[in-house]
Every structure is written in structure tokens, then in C-alpha cells.
Amino acid sequence: MSATMLCQKCEELRIELWHQDISREVRTYSNPAEAKSLKSSCDLCHIVCEILEEIDDPNGDTASYCKEKWGHLFVDVFERSPVRMFQVTVNGEHNLVLRIKVDVSNLPGYFQGSPCWVGDYAFGGICVPAVPGRNFERTLSREHMISLAKLWYESCAACHEECQKFGRDGLKPKRLVELGSDVEHPSARLITSQNFTGEYAALSYCWGQQSRPTLLKQHNLSSFSNYGLSIAQLPSTIRDACELCLALGIHYLWVDSLCILQDSERDWSEESAHMSSIYAGAELTIKAAAGADCHYGLFVERSWRSMSAAQLKCIDIHEIAHECFIRGPQNLPERDDPINKRGWTLQETLLSPKLLTFGNYEMSWECRSLYWNESGNMLRPIPGMSDIFPQPIRVRNIFESEKPFDDERPDLFGIWAQVIFDYSRRQFSDRHDKLPALSGLANWCSKYLSKQDVYLAGLWKSQLPASLLWLHDLSMHENATRPTEYRAPSWSWASFDCGSLVWYRLGGENTFARIIDCMTTYFGLDPYGKVLDGYIKISAPLKQGWLVRNRLTIERFDFWGNYYDEEPRDPDSAPRSKSSDPFETVLGYPWPDLYDETLLQPGNGRNKFEVRNAVKVHCLRISSGCGMLLQPRSASSHQAADIPGLEWRRIGLVRHDSELWPAWWEDAQEQQVTIR
């Protein structure tokens, strides 16, 4: 790390790690121009300016908002054990608080793997990015990565009582790769694990679209078992995982491409159904997050890592001098790692008791006792998830806005919604894997539910009808897509692909829908996997309504109670009312599931498509403020002959947006409908 440049005032800072009076002024600027003038000659002033430049006005203005409003700025330190942070406060018309985390892992009495749970601090309506503050190597060599992985792994084994108590009983993988003990001349062979009682690691990685890994098939099963595998000929990621396992003293590795017969649908179905046990039973999961394919490898040097940093002096409670490190804001793209975009890998992450990640930017360690990474970038577990999964979904800060629920500790429904929120953004090489790739998590969650509960194509019976109220907010141009072949019933979020899903929150609303019956038929032996058919029978008020093109845009609808427009007109003109009907007006805001041919028509000019002038729909009242939009379902091969009456398909949701909404429902008749 190069020497830090500091101006005179920053050089004189006395950072007292035990001091907790956060009102004490330590470093002030008379105006923004003073800080800007020191930006090029002082690393700390440069970081302060970087932070302020990244903050946006909550009303949508640019960074000049902060530059114009703040008057004095001071830096102080306070304790939030076991992490120390600087606090930078801007005083002005709107107060603003920034936290800058400081590394104290080198101080006496602090274990290098101490847990770090911190978040951002919002004040005056502005949410500020947390700034990582731990010093770390900018260039990672192969030897450094293995050494760091070994330190984390052995520290966990020696010091973490919680991890030692966590049992790993359950089904073992059918097969494992056995690694020879000779590091200089590594060897590997495939074994059956029928009587296996030792420890194994599991690999989580991306296969890749173009070049596939070495695959286990029925014709080479005997060869891999009797004569072994050539480690030198394995893809780089799998080869590096073998080397890492031997360095950690682990002699067995589970890799899906080598341990599941890829040309046997039965073997694949059986093993994918046990995926929750495979990863939950692993001593360690190695997550190759940086590589988009299996040839990328784990030990890839990342010499491009760079950042602005300030090295300051600090004094501990015993008046002993140390050093602390502050870095400017970094856009750490954890979610942009290729593995975090793939559907299969979510369950591999959440079900692993110990997770060692090789990311694009850094390495990290997660176990039941702590989360630790190189940079000090703090990720907080979503409340309640640690009670269910060995590894929770982590967010950057406690003010994470992209989440379907904001409860401090959500129930299982809220936790499952968080899982689906993350999962729905992920991609698949085979679109039919949408439910099979979730089966391990569903199987795991079933242990926390009643034995009488039923899994229904990504939903749970005990959570109906609330769990039917999923939605997305994609526009006509960002349209969701539905696979051409059947994948799930229309009432399941798994029936189509979109960017992300959230749920309409019932809160204290009255529920008008009753579930009469529900059923899904699954393929093969996995009751959480591929779906062949499914339906739900609901009794609720049902009434005809209309999706009418919004008066201001050709890209979205409003929901009207009634609609009369018999006279032909220019399709670009706004709908005209020809009636005094009080319900011929906007009653709600609809969220269509899919903009397909039933909702779109050819556009004029630059727009290839635009929404239709008006579309007749039916609305099934689920709650006081929310209804499910339905259309009659045409006959198909998935229609069961023993279910009488008209069948329906879901096409979206509608949220009330008018005081006339309750009155419109007064003459609605409760009906029993079957939705597929």
C-alpha cells in the first residue's frame, strides 16, 4: 500500500478508539470549496468529497444538493463492538451522517475473524452508503488465497462453538470424488458413498453456456470409478477446487457434473431432490462466484483492484498507538458476480453451513458464527433468515430498499417471499428448471411448517390466499415472458419470467377469498420439483371490469368498473364516456402479469405495439383493497375433465385507487372459480 498523503488538519487527528462522545468536533471545513481544494493533496479529504459526491437528494436533485447545504463537517469515532467507525457529520439545513468503518483487527484482543454486523445510518431523510474500512492486499496471488482460506477454515474449526454444535446428519450424496493425498501428484476417482462417514466439500459454480465441464455419463461411470479421473484434464474451476480441498485437509469433493449421471433422468431427479441434504451436509461449500463458466478458475489474480485509502493513527484504551484504514465508497458488485445470476446456485448458498466465496472483487467467509471478507464491506443478514437457513440472504445495509417486506423479523411467509424475490431475478439455461432448482429450499422450509401443509408450485397452502398476491412492475417494453411449454399454473409466480417479484401486503385488510381446494401434480419422485398440472378453487366475489388505456400514455392501463365506447374513433384518442354510470371511471391500478396479444395491439409510428383501448376482464376480490384479474381459460391438454364449470387463468392483480371501489363491489355475487 502506498504512503498516505494527509493535510495538516487530518495529520493532527487524534482518533481515540474508546471515545463515545459523538458530538465532539474534530475536523471542520468552513465550506465545500475548502474540502475540494484539499482533494488532490489529502487522501482523507479526497474520500470525504467522494462520499458527498455519491449522495443524491431524496427529491431527485444531483449531488450539488449536499454540496450546497452542508456548512461544517467533523470527523469523530465511536464504538459499535467489535467494529470501530468514523462518523462524518454534515451540519446544515439537512443533517447528514456518514459512517466510515475502521479496521481494528490488528489491535490486541481482537480475533481476526470477529463478526462484523453494521449498516448504514439515515438522518434527515438521506440514506448514505456504508464505507468499508479494512486494509487488504490489492493483488491476490494463488498462495495468498489458499493461505487466507486456510486461516478462515481453521479458525472456524478451532474457535466457533456454534459451528461445532451444528449437526450434519441426513442423506449423503450417492457419489463423491475421492482425492488422493499426494499434493504433488494429485489423483481422483469416483466412489459410491453408501458407507461413507467422513467429511466432504461441495462445489458451487457456473457450468457456462458454450463449453460444458467434464460430465459423468453411463458409458464412463465404470472408468471414473475403477481408473479414476485425470485432474489435469478437468476444467480450471474444478481443478482448483480439488487443490484447495487438499490444502484444507478435505479428501472428498461433491461436484454435480461428476457425481450425477447427466444422461439419466432418473438419477438426476433423485439427486436433485436431495440437493438440500447434499449442501447442508457438506463440511464446506466452495463458491466460485467470479467465473461465468467452469474454465475460469478460483485462483485468478485480481491486480486491477484499486481504491483511494487513508491511513490514520489511532489510540486504544491503553494509550497504545495503532493504525486504522479508511477507504472511499466502493461499488462492490456482489450481485453482479456471475454465480449470483444463476437460479440453481441460490439454494447452494443458503443451505451451506460454511461458505467460502471467491468473488470478482474479493474472498469472503460465512459460517453460522460470522461473516468476514477482505475489504470490510459489511453485509447484514435479512432478519429472521438465520433462524431458517444455515446461510441467510445478506443485504448491504439496514435500509436496503429492494425487498418485498420491511418487517423487523418477518414470519416464514415473509422469509419465503425474500427467497423468491432474490430467486425470481435469476436465469436458467433450461427454463424448465425454475421449480426443480428451488426444490432443495422448499424441502428445507417444509421442516418449519405443519406436516399437513402442501407445497403448490412455489407457494404454500397455509399462506393462501395472501401468497397469491405476487406482482411485478415491468412496463410494456420490459415485458415478462412465459415459456411456450407448460411450467406452472397461471396463479404461480413460476409460470413466467421477469426481473423480480414482490408481494402485495394485506396488512390489516379484510380477506374475502376462501380456498376450497388446491392441487398440483409433480413429475417424478420430487414433490417440490417439476409440475405437470395444478389448480386452485376459490370462493370469492367475482365481477366483470375493464382494463382501459390510460389517458396520458399508450403504455399502461387503468382499471374501470364499467366502460361504454360504442362509437368508432381514432385509436390514439383517449377513451370517451357515453354514460352517467358512476363506475365508468378509474377504480384501481392494475399490474398485468404479461403484456401478450390479449392486451396489446399494433402501434402507430415509432411504437411497434401499444396497449389496447379496452379489454374486458373479471376481477376476483381477494381482500378489501386488492383483486385478482382473470380471463376465461381456453381448453388445453392441462384441463382436467373431472373439474366442472368454467375455468380461468390469472392475468394480473389490481389495487384499489378510488373511494368508489367498495361501492362497486356491493352487488357482486360470491362465486366458486377454478383457476389453472
Side-chain angles (χ1 to χ4, degrees), residues 42-97:
C42 176
D43 290 332
L44 182 56
C45 295
H46 180 85
I47 290 170
V48 169
C49 290
E50 278 186 336
I51 296 169
L52 294 174
E53 287 171 0
E54 287 210 350
I55 301 168
D56 291 329
D57 174 22
N59 296 321
D61 293 338
T62 62
S64 61
Y65 170 84
C66 291
K67 295 180 180 178
E68 295 297 328
K69 298 299 181 183
W70 64 278
H72 293 280
L73 181 147
F74 62 87
V75 181
D76 206 338
V77 68
F78 67 99
E79 180 173 354
R80 189 66 64 88
S81 181
V83 181
R84 299 329 197 254
M85 291 167 279
F86 281 107
Q87 177 170 289
V88 180
T89 303
V90 178
N91 296 320
E93 181 178 330
H94 294 268
N95 287 336
L96 175 67
V97 177

Side-chain angles (χ1 to χ4, degrees), residues 364-627:
S364 65
W365 171 272
E366 300 171 66
C367 62
R368 295 188 69 86
S369 300
L370 62 83
Y371 168 77
W372 191 255
N373 61 25
E374 295 178 87
S375 69
N377 178 46
M378 300 308 155
L379 302 179
R380 184 189 66 94
I382 292 175
M385 292 204 73
S386 299
D387 299 334
I388 306 296
F389 301 111
Q391 294 302 329
I393 295 175
R394 302 180 191 276
V395 294
R396 184 178 295 276
N397 58 72
I398 61 174
F399 297 98
E400 179 73 41
S401 59
E402 292 186 358
K403 58 182 180 178
F405 288 96
D406 55 7
D407 302 287
E408 292 185 1
R409 184 164 293 274
D411 57 13
L412 187 57
F413 177 27
I415 293 172
W416 184 251
Q418 292 278 7
V419 171
I420 302 306
F421 170 74
D422 187 303
Y423 185 75
S424 62
R425 297 184 291 186
R426 295 174 177 243
Q427 302 165 358
F428 298 87
S429 300
D430 185 344
R431 298 176 73 181
H432 291 93
D433 287 348
K434 190 113 181 180
L435 286 171
L438 190 66
S439 65
L441 291 174
N443 186 17
W444 186 274
C445 284
S446 68
K447 298 182 294 185
Y448 297 87
L449 295 166
S450 167
K451 293 182 179 180
Q452 286 71 46
D453 211 337
V454 179
Y455 182 68
L456 301 164
L459 308 177
W460 297 95
K461 183 178 179 180
S462 63
Q463 298 165 359
L464 300 176
S467 60
L468 295 172
L469 303 181
W470 48 265
L471 59 100
H472 66 79
D473 199 21
L474 294 181
S475 70
M476 181 182 73
H477 301 293
E478 306 168 310
N479 197 9
T481 58
R482 195 186 301 274
T484 54
E485 297 182 17
Y486 183 86
R487 189 171 69 189
S490 66
W491 44 261
S492 168
W493 55 265
S495 62
F496 70 102
D497 300 310
C498 67
S500 63
L501 292 172
V502 294
W503 264 259
Y504 177 86
R505 297 192 60 180
L506 289 177
E509 292 185 15
N510 293 328
T511 302
F512 288 82
R514 294 182 296 113
I515 305 300
I516 306 301
D517 190 17
C518 53
M519 183 276 294
T520 48
T521 303
Y522 291 92
F523 173 82
L525 303 175
D526 187 2
Y528 306 100
K530 185 177 179 181
V531 170
L532 298 177
D533 192 13
Y535 69 85
I536 287 181
K537 284 185 179 180
I538 302 179
S539 180
L542 180 70
K543 193 170 182 180
Q544 180 181 298
W546 293 83
L547 297 181
V548 179
R549 191 169 72 181
N550 181 270
R551 295 182 184 278
L552 300 178
T553 176
I554 62 172
E555 299 182 358
R556 73 174 182 88
F557 291 107
D558 292 321
F559 180 78
W560 287 37
N562 288 324
Y563 179 71
Y564 305 93
D565 192 15
E566 301 172 357
E567 184 178 301
R569 58 188 177 81
D570 184 342
D572 284 333
S573 64
R576 292 196 304 269
S577 173
K578 299 178 69 67
S579 168
S580 59
D581 187 333
F583 301 123
E584 191 188 3
T585 186
V586 177
L587 296 184
Y589 181 84
W591 290 288
D593 293 342
L594 192 68
Y595 286 91
D596 57 14
E597 66 278 1
T598 64
L599 302 184
L600 296 179
Q601 63 186 10
N604 293 326
R606 62 179 182 177
N607 298 303
K608 186 176 181 180
F609 294 101
E610 60 186 41
V611 298
R612 294 182 180 274
N613 299 324
V615 180
K616 183 189 297 184
V617 296
H618 281 75
C619 185
L620 188 71
R621 195 176 193 187
I622 304 297
S623 70
S624 301
C626 186

Side-chain angles (χ1 to χ4, degrees), residues 118-404:
V118 296
D120 296 351
Y121 185 80
F123 197 79
I126 303 175
C127 182
V128 182
V131 182
R134 185 177 301 130
N135 188 33
F136 71 109
E137 298 293 333
R138 294 190 180 188
T139 301
L140 284 181
S141 65
R142 188 185 200 91
E143 293 73 20
H144 174 84
M145 292 183 185
I146 293 176
S147 176
L148 187 57
K150 192 172 182 180
L151 171 66
W152 286 341
Y153 177 70
E154 292 178 348
S155 297
C156 178
C159 305
H160 296 170
E161 295 182 5
E162 179 68 20
C163 296
Q164 295 170 12
K165 292 187 297 183
F166 188 74
R168 295 186 180 87
D169 298 330
L171 293 172
K172 299 292 184 182
K174 184 183 293 186
R175 306 176 189 90
L176 288 167
V177 176
E178 183 182 53
L179 304 174
S181 56
D182 188 347
V183 179
E184 298 298 327
H185 302 88
S187 61
R189 71 184 183 97
L190 197 65
I191 66 166
T192 57
S193 55
Q194 184 175 4
N195 299 316
F196 178 79
T197 58
E199 296 176 340
Y200 66 92
L203 179 63
S204 177
Y205 67 112
C206 295
W207 281 27
Q209 297 292 334
Q210 303 300 326
S211 54
R212 293 298 180 95
T214 305
L215 301 178
L216 176 67
K217 296 187 176 181
Q218 297 181 61
H219 72 84
N220 57 23
L221 173 60
S222 176
S223 174
F224 284 3
S225 301
N226 296 327
Y227 302 105
L229 302 92
S230 172
I231 292 183
Q233 295 180 4
L234 293 176
S236 298
T237 299
I238 300 176
R239 187 170 64 246
D240 287 351
C242 293
E243 179 182 349
L244 178 63
C245 284
L246 290 176
L248 299 179
I250 301 174
H251 292 277
Y252 297 91
L253 176 66
W254 187 87
V255 185
D256 58 356
S257 61
L258 298 177
C259 298
I260 300 177
L261 286 169
Q262 300 299 321
D263 58 352
S264 170
E265 191 167 0
R266 178 174 180 177
D267 193 67
W268 187 91
S269 178
E270 289 176 353
E271 289 301 279
S272 63
H274 299 152
M275 205 66 74
S276 60
S277 297
I278 292 174
Y279 282 93
E283 166 65 14
L284 174 68
T285 295
I286 302 167
K287 183 176 178 180
D293 59 49
C294 57
H295 299 282
Y296 188 84
L298 298 178
F299 310 123
V300 179
E301 291 196 7
R302 305 176 184 94
S303 57
W304 51 267
R305 300 195 310 182
S306 63
M307 63 191 65
S308 55
Q311 180 176 338
L312 304 180
K313 300 174 182 177
C314 61
I315 308 296
D316 68 16
I317 194 171
H318 302 294
E319 291 289 329
I320 299 176
H322 301 280
E323 295 173 340
C324 58
F325 299 89
I326 300 176
R327 283 193 301 280
Q330 300 294 313
N331 181 24
L332 304 182
E334 299 92 357
R335 287 180 178 170
D336 292 338
D337 280 339
I339 201 168
N340 294 327
K341 299 177 182 179
R342 306 303 299 171
W344 279 99
T345 59
L346 179 61
Q347 65 179 3
E348 298 168 6
T349 295
L350 297 188
L351 298 178
S352 299
K354 299 178 183 178
L355 187 66
L356 178 62
T357 300
F358 292 81
N360 254 322
Y361 183 81
E362 63 181 341
M363 291 172 58
S364 65
W365 171 272
E366 300 171 66
C367 62
R368 295 188 69 86
S369 300
L370 62 83
Y371 168 77
W372 191 255
N373 61 25
E374 295 178 87
S375 69
N377 178 46
M378 300 308 155
L379 302 179
R380 184 189 66 94
I382 292 175
M385 292 204 73
S386 299
D387 299 334
I388 306 296
F389 301 111
Q391 294 302 329
I393 295 175
R394 302 180 191 276
V395 294
R396 184 178 295 276
N397 58 72
I398 61 174
F399 297 98
E400 179 73 41
S401 59
E402 292 186 358
K403 58 182 180 178

Side-chain angles (χ1 to χ4, degrees), residues 622-637:
I622 304 297
S623 70
S624 301
C626 186
M628 182 186 294
L629 299 176
L630 304 175
Q631 283 185 336
R633 179 179 180 272
S634 60
S636 72
S637 59

